[in-house]
Amino acid sequence: MAKGFTRRSALINGVALTASFAITGAFAIAPSAKAEEQIESITWALPSIPDTLFIPHAWTIYTGAIMSLVQEGPLAFGDDLALKPASADKWEQVDPTTIKYHLRSAVKFGDGSPLTADDIVATFKYHMNPDSGSQLASFYNSVVTVEATAPDEVTVKLKAPNVQFAYTAAHMAGFVFKQEQLADKNIGTPEVLPLGTGPYKLVEFVPTDHVILEARDDYWGSKPVIKRITIQAIPDRQARLLAMQNSDIDGTFDLAISDVDQWKALGNVDIVTAPSLGMFSLILDHSAPPFDDIHVRRAVAYAVDREGLVKALLKGNGEAATALNPPEMWSGVLSPDEVRAFYATLPSYPFDLAKAKAELAQSSHPDGFDVTIPAPTADPYMVNIMQSVVENLKQIGIRASIQEIDHNTWLAQYFRHENLGMQIMAYYPDFADAANYPYLFFSSATAVKDGMNGSNFKNAEVDAFLKTANEKADPKARADALKGVFKIANEDVAIVPIFWPASAMAINNKYKLTGYTAFWYTIPWAIRGFGLK
């Protein structure tokens, strides 16, 4: 998991970024393409295309892979995962609770209209408005006000210092919408395609099927190499493989690591891998039976064969998880050795069906119970993970079954926070900070509709620790606070960690894409070193 990353801490424009990474070797920034290297068109595949392109109501990595080519925030992530200017040419931490963004001149939306400070203010306020139902609202919980303090300046005031907020302007929560479009309830549909200030504009959208984008000649940044991109949904893994073999597609993201050898055997394909910083886990609803019982949660935790799943599904390209955070997420807060030493002290639940049976026998459901677990089919691992878990649960008396479900339907159900029961969750980072995952999955503030805390895990001491981790810039203070969070979360089985996978993509070997990183779904990947070899 850690291969290719080095620990580094960045200080940019006075903002302390306590967790950034540098990618080395194959991921160096490519030189700008020459004019003669223009590519007329490519077809790219994704496991799923959303039913809306409005990110606040479709916050997924696949939506991001599309809309990161169309929209951008004031800031962006570089190939080293550190913050860099985007539609804002500079930003300033005025004081611990005030951030100012200065807009770059001559930035335009895809319809030719200029980006204004009011557009950024309207976007941020949309997420902050509870009536909007934004799935990214939690990233703005620390904001008191956001104002256009000049025609080319936006000022954000925070309730208290918040280390994580610095990243909000760079990932999907910061992608800027045109103010007038936010008032249109049809935004994100084929009739009202979202505008953005990114290198491409949307020209066609067939929900759940495909999207077509065209390069913009008036983009403020580097000229896109590819003139036209078609992104096609191909949920079935073997169908995607066949499409690549037949040259119907030029590449795809989110390969199952277990399929990599088949893709390599095609001969016309390059496989690019990177640490994903992602995590897979089981989410158990603490607020309702049967998972409100600690013994039931421990029984489930002991029934997960993590090492077996890493071998079978990841072919060793990943690691069995013992906690929520992949070790690399602690960079800038703890060293790799310190993380490993700390994780070794945490309460753990290695695969042991005898212990699982003993825990269930101590619970209020000693004879077991029935449970149905929804698993989205677009993800390369979720259904396969649950097949293993279900068989193990049956051996201890829990009568579990899988409901294979469309990805968009599953996500909508999860965000409704109704009848959560047991869920299989795959999550990838919004930014590389040790507090990102625990805030989303362990904070009481996110145990609500449209929040990520589907366990409904609530603990006042954890909330206090998270407050410290979010407000303190000092690495030791943050590390100590987060250690407190993880000790309580593991003891209480807040979630059941499964594994931390590597990430892989495939590309026709006549092309190159050197800017592939853990944040492929947040960056404009088609202009990050994409070109002819």
Side-chain angles (χ1 to χ4, degrees), residues 70-74 85-89 102-117 119-120 176 196-199 216 218-221:
V70 176
Q71 295 179 298
E72 59 192 353
S87 60
D89 57 4
H102 182 272
L103 275 62
R104 191 184 299 273
S105 62
V107 176
K108 298 178 181 179
F109 286 100
D111 64 351
S113 60
L115 171 70
T116 70
D119 295 308
I120 296 176
V176 176
T197 61
R216 292 179 51 195
D218 60 348
Y219 179 55
W220 64 265

Side-chain angles (χ1 to χ4, degrees), residues 330 334 338-339 342 346 465 476-489:
W330 291 80
L334 290 175
E338 289 170 331
V339 175
F342 168 60
L346 293 175
F465 281 136
K476 185 180 186 307
R478 300 190 78 218
D480 290 345
L482 288 169
K483 283 181 178 181
V485 170
F486 278 79
K487 286 176 182 177
I488 295 171

Side-chain angles (χ1 to χ4, degrees), residues 317-373:
N317 293 290
E319 185 177 352
T322 54
L324 176 66
N325 271 4
E328 297 89 347
M329 286 289 283
W330 291 80
S331 180
V333 178
L334 290 175
S335 72
D337 289 344
E338 289 170 331
V339 175
R340 300 290 178 183
F342 168 60
Y343 277 5
T345 69
L346 293 175
S348 62
Y349 307 91
F351 180 51
D352 190 324
L353 291 180
K355 287 185 177 179
K357 288 179 181 178
E359 286 290 347
L360 191 65
Q362 295 180 63
S363 77
S364 50
H365 306 272
D367 298 323
F369 52 87
D370 297 299
V371 61
T372 299
I373 307 103

Side-chain angles (χ1 to χ4, degrees), residues 22 50 55 77 79 89 109 290 361 388 401 422 425 446 485 501:
I55 284 175
F77 292 109
D79 288 355
D89 57 4
F109 286 100
S388 169
S401 60
M422 183 189 296
M425 170 58 67
T446 62
V485 170

Side-chain angles (χ1 to χ4, degrees), residues 450-464:
D450 295 319
M452 289 303 302
N453 185 351
S455 295
N456 287 313
F457 171 74
K458 298 179 181 179
N459 182 290
E461 193 174 1
V462 165
D463 290 339

Side-chain angles (χ1 to χ4, degrees), residues 431-448:
F431 45 86
D433 184 83
N436 180 202
Y437 286 174
Y439 175 72
L440 291 175
F441 288 95
F442 297 154
S443 171
S444 298
T446 62
V448 294

Side-chain angles (χ1 to χ4, degrees), residues 242-325:
L242 183 61
M244 194 75 183
Q245 182 178 12
N246 294 337
S247 297
D248 294 330
I249 62 173
D250 296 295
T252 184
F253 292 123
D254 212 17
L255 286 187
I257 295 292
S258 56
D259 296 342
V260 162
D261 289 344
Q262 296 181 59
W263 285 80
K264 287 181 178 178
L266 295 180
N268 66 333
V269 174
D270 286 335
I271 303 299
V272 186
T273 61
S276 72
L277 305 186
M279 69 86 187
F280 281 68
S281 67
L282 295 179
I283 304 292
L284 308 176
D285 184 2
H286 291 216
S287 69
F291 302 112
D292 58 344
D293 189 315
I294 182 64
H295 296 292
V296 170
R297 298 197 297 275
R298 288 175 182 164
V300 173
Y302 279 123
V304 178
D305 183 6
R306 296 165 185 79
E307 297 288 350
L309 288 168
V310 168
K311 292 177 182 177
L313 299 183
L314 304 182
K315 305 298 184 184
N317 293 290
E319 185 177 352
T322 54
L324 176 66
N325 271 4

